[in-house]
Amino acid sequence: DAGVIQSPRHEVTEMGQEVTLRCKPISGHDYLFWYRQTMMRGLELLIYFNNNVPIDDSGMPEDRFSAKMPNASFSTLKIQPSEPRDSAVYFCASSWMGNQPQHFGDGTRLSIL
Amino acid sequence: DQQVKQNSPSLSVQEGRISILNCDYTNSMFDYFLWYKKYPAEGPTFLISISSIKDKNEDGRFTVFLNKSAKHLSLHIVPSQPGDSAVYFCHSLVYNFNKFYFGSGTKLNVKP
């Protein structure tokens, strides 16, 4: 079975542009997580979904960030407008239950100039 | 609000010796703990876990120890191998309520 698939792997864009990150979870996994990794804060949980419903978005930094999960096999994380401080590696992960090991994608390295 | 702390950003160990990675947590409600390993340009992968009803769990060269009174867990790798060089993340959660936190990671370098 394929693992968690994220796209794009790298994104470089200018400040103020809209950025959309995509994730395809493992089939059958009911939970999907979005994380941001930075040197200062390590892995930060941004938001997670259960059965396509957002459960906890308290980690979303501000209103510029939004996430959707229109169906069980696809999720997006959008930043609009983007700022240089959003530069980081963004990971998507999925698990079949919230308290089970998570399976991570290889991440999207985002650079905002 | 760092509920899970890995106070050593990096650790260097000679091949064949023991590597000990540490993690401290503040929330006494945490009752399930996991370790993940992360190579550059890849996502973290699950390594080993422990429930709070145990104080030790072993899987091959990897052993996790839990000291609930001290709110401390550690990952032991014996013997360490160069392929173990990676960043290790501690992950703590409340099993029934799906609250979970990751530490900031410890970068392990195993020298040949």
Side-chain angles (χ1 to χ4, degrees):
Chain A
D1 191 12
V4 174
I5 300 172
Q6 290 187 248
S7 64
R9 288 298 310 274
H10 303 274
E11 175 87 13
V12 181
T13 192
E14 291 189 346
M15 182 176 69
Q17 297 297 307
E18 178 179 291
V19 173
T20 300
L21 311 182
R22 296 172 176 80
C23 175
K24 177 178 168 55
I26 292 173
S27 177
H29 282 190
D30 290 337
Y31 284 79
L32 183 138
F33 310 85
W34 282 102
Y35 291 91
R36 177 170 67 176
Q37 184 188 13
T38 62
M39 290 296 292
M40 290 296 294
R41 300 174 68 90
L43 272 174
E44 290 180 90
L45 176 66
L46 300 177
I47 185 171
Y48 78 92
F49 296 82
N50 178 23
N51 291 322
N52 314 338
V53 177
I55 303 300
D56 184 351
D57 65 353
S58 59
M60 296 286 262
E62 48 198 275
D63 292 345
R64 298 184 297 105
F65 285 69
S66 62
K68 293 183 179 179
M69 192 165 186
N71 57 63
S73 58
F74 184 65
S75 177
T76 60
L77 178 67
K78 191 170 291 188
I79 308 172
Q80 167 64 18
S82 57
E83 297 182 4
R85 61 193 168 116
D86 301 330
S87 297
V89 181
Y90 290 80
F91 287 102
C92 175
S94 70
S95 66
W96 71 279
M97 283 183 68
N99 49 25
Q100 294 300 306
Q102 297 177 17
H103 298 256
F104 285 78
D106 286 336
T108 295
R109 182 172 293 276
L110 177 64
S111 297
I112 309 296
L113 306 177
Chain B
D1 177 19
Q2 274 194 293
Q3 300 210 24
V4 179
K5 293 182 182 179
Q6 293 178 256
N7 292 317
S8 298
S10 63
L11 175 68
S12 188
V13 170
Q14 202 68 37
E15 180 179 5
R17 306 296 289 266
I18 184 172
S19 295
I20 301 176
L21 297 101
N22 295 305
C23 179
D24 296 295
Y25 60 97
T26 57
N27 191 338
S28 57
M29 296 285 288
F30 289 147
D31 53 9
Y32 192 55
F33 306 88
L34 306 92
W35 285 94
Y36 292 77
K37 179 167 75 172
K38 183 187 179 303
Y39 292 119
E42 295 182 8
T45 55
F46 169 69
L47 188 58
I48 191 170
S49 63
I50 188 168
S51 163
S52 61
I53 62 173
K54 293 185 171 183
D55 54 19
K56 176 184 173 181
N57 189 26
E58 198 170 345
D59 184 2
R61 296 185 297 113
F62 302 90
T63 303
V64 56
F65 294 92
L66 176 62
N67 182 334
K68 291 184 288 294
S69 61
K71 296 192 182 69
H72 177 83
L73 67 154
S74 60
L75 175 67
H76 293 213
I77 307 173
V78 183
S80 302
Q81 299 174 354
D84 297 328
S85 297
V87 177
Y88 289 79
F89 289 98
C90 168
H91 180 202
S92 304
L93 60 92
V94 181
Y95 197 80
N96 289 327
F97 295 97
N98 293 343
K99 284 288 185 185
F100 34 82
Y101 300 87
F102 276 88
S104 54
T106 297
K107 185 174 183 179
L108 173 66
N109 179 34
V110 180
K111 296 177 287 187

